[in-house]
Amino acid sequence: MSHVIVVGGGAAGMFAAIAAAKNGHQVTLYEKNEKLGKKIFITGKGRCNITNAADMEELFDAVVTNSKFLYSSFYGYTNQNVIDFFEDAGVPVKIERGNRVFPISDHSSDVIRALEREMKKVGVKVCLNTEVKSVEAEKDKFNKVVLKDTTTQTADACIVATGGLSYRSTGDGFRFAENVGHKVTQCFPSLVPMETKEPWICELQGLSLRNVEAKILDGKKELYKDFGEMLFTHFGVSGPLIISASSYVGKKFMDKNGQKKELTLEIDLKPALTEEQL
């Protein structure tokens, strides 16, 4: 029986640990926080948007860049497989507007508990409050992980599931990957709110807009345009419309020299009406 180390106790790490154990491996999962699934707990406003029930081609259309990279992943373990997994694990689900899939209970904690139960069932060893400082390789093959207390743990394989650079992340996974010889490309924000320049925006904090059109411009060049819901915050704008837009324009906040630059956001409050009709 080979030994697999999983670094990170979020959704990806727990899922990977379960899959590895089900395939006959001895699995140890290291999580630096005091509990598992901290990001799961806050996702979907605490309800946990598990997956999307749309047709596979529709899912690929929603991937902003290089969707072909995900073909083997999406078809190897489909959205229906995800739904079946959670329902078999005791988390019945419901499908809401936009094919979004949530637990019927509307509690993300039910999703976390289900993953914890499944790990326990297949014998995954979970080590909380245990930070991995480095992942090391020897002769182009994984060799060991070094923990914060300087102890080392060897294994036959290592799965790094530490997430990206969002939500206060330190980017450990990128550092681990570079350390063992992987190339890491420049990272840009995606699926995030946006900051605005105007100071008066904060006075609109909490105001929601529905059925509006948002357009983002780089000079006169239109980068993004769509229709939906958005809201004002104490620092700028957010909501589904803006968060989707960030996936398309994140790279555009940098010029060719890597310097930050400003884009323009235009909001049409009544896109269905002409000026004459208004």
Side-chain angles (χ1 to χ4, degrees):
M1 179 187 294
S2 59
H3 181 204
V4 176
I5 286 176
V6 178
V7 185
M14 288 190 279
F15 231 92
I18 293 165
K22 282 184 175 180
N23 279 279
H25 302 290
Q26 177 190 346
V27 181
T28 303
L29 182 149
Y30 293 110
E31 167 56 49
K32 67 181 179 181
N33 291 309
E34 75 286 356
K35 60 185 177 181
L36 298 166
K38 291 190 81 170
K39 289 181 193 171
I40 298 176
F41 190 72
I42 62 170
T43 190
K45 295 181 180 177
R47 297 170 61 213
C48 189
N49 186 187
I50 294 171
T51 185
N52 191 285
D55 292 337
M56 197 61 69
E57 288 308 309
E58 192 175 335
L59 291 183
F60 283 120
D61 288 341
V63 178
V64 177
T65 56
N66 197 16
S67 61
K68 290 183 178 179
F69 178 76
L70 293 171
Y71 269 37
S72 60
S73 297
F74 277 19
Y75 281 111
Y77 200 88
T78 67
N79 47 0
Q80 187 58 52
N81 291 140
V82 175
I83 291 170
D84 292 343
F85 171 88
F86 281 107
E87 296 212 311
D88 290 343
V91 184
V93 304
K94 59 183 175 180
I95 300 174
E96 297 188 358
R97 179 173 51 85
N99 283 313
R100 296 171 301 163
V101 180
F102 292 93
I104 285 177
S105 68
D106 281 333
H107 292 146
S108 57
S109 55
D110 290 344
V111 174
I112 299 169
R113 280 196 292 267
L115 290 167
E116 290 175 330
R117 285 196 304 270
E118 290 300 305
M119 286 198 296
K120 186 174 181 179
K121 189 186 299 183
V122 294
V124 175
K125 180 182 178 183
V126 176
C127 302
L128 299 176
N129 294 306
T130 308
E131 183 175 350
V132 172
K133 295 303 291 181
S134 68
V135 174
E136 299 185 6
E138 193 174 280
K139 296 181 179 178
D140 295 327
K141 188 176 185 299
F142 167 71
N143 180 31
K144 62 185 177 184
V145 297
V146 180
L147 305 180
K148 187 177 181 179
D149 64 5
T150 71
T151 59
T152 62
Q153 301 292 330
T154 59
D156 300 286
C158 179
I159 300 171
V160 176
T162 56
L165 290 172
S166 62
Y167 190 65
R168 306 173 190 167
S169 171
T170 57
D172 287 343
F174 297 104
R175 181 167 52 81
F176 296 159
E178 284 184 309
N179 194 47
V180 295
H182 289 289
K183 180 182 177 182
V184 176
T185 60
Q186 187 177 0
C187 296
F188 298 93
S190 179
L191 295 177
V192 292
M194 296 187 192
E195 293 183 5
T196 52
K197 180 180 180 181
E198 291 77 13
W200 51 263
I201 288 290
C202 64
E203 297 177 30
L204 300 177
Q205 179 181 349
L207 175 64
S208 295
L209 300 178
R210 292 189 175 187
N211 303 322
V212 299
E213 181 185 86
K215 185 187 298 183
I216 298 181
L217 306 167
D218 184 0
K220 293 184 178 180
K221 183 180 179 182
E222 183 179 292
L223 302 178
Y224 176 87
K225 182 172 76 171
D226 206 354
F227 176 86
E229 301 175 13
M230 61 169 285
L231 62 92
F232 293 96
T233 70
H234 64 285
F235 58 81
V237 286
S238 187
L241 189 56
I242 299 300
I243 287 173
S244 294
S246 70
S247 299
Y248 292 85
V249 305
K251 293 182 180 180
K252 302 298 183 179
F253 282 104
M254 297 283 185
D255 62 22
K256 293 180 180 179
N257 299 316
Q259 300 297 312
K260 287 185 178 181
K261 67 175 181 179
E262 295 175 356
L263 302 179
T264 301
L265 168 64
E266 292 184 358
I267 306 167
D268 188 340
L269 301 175
K270 292 290 181 183
L273 301 177
T274 64
E275 288 189 33
E276 290 76 13
Q277 289 171 316
L278 280 170

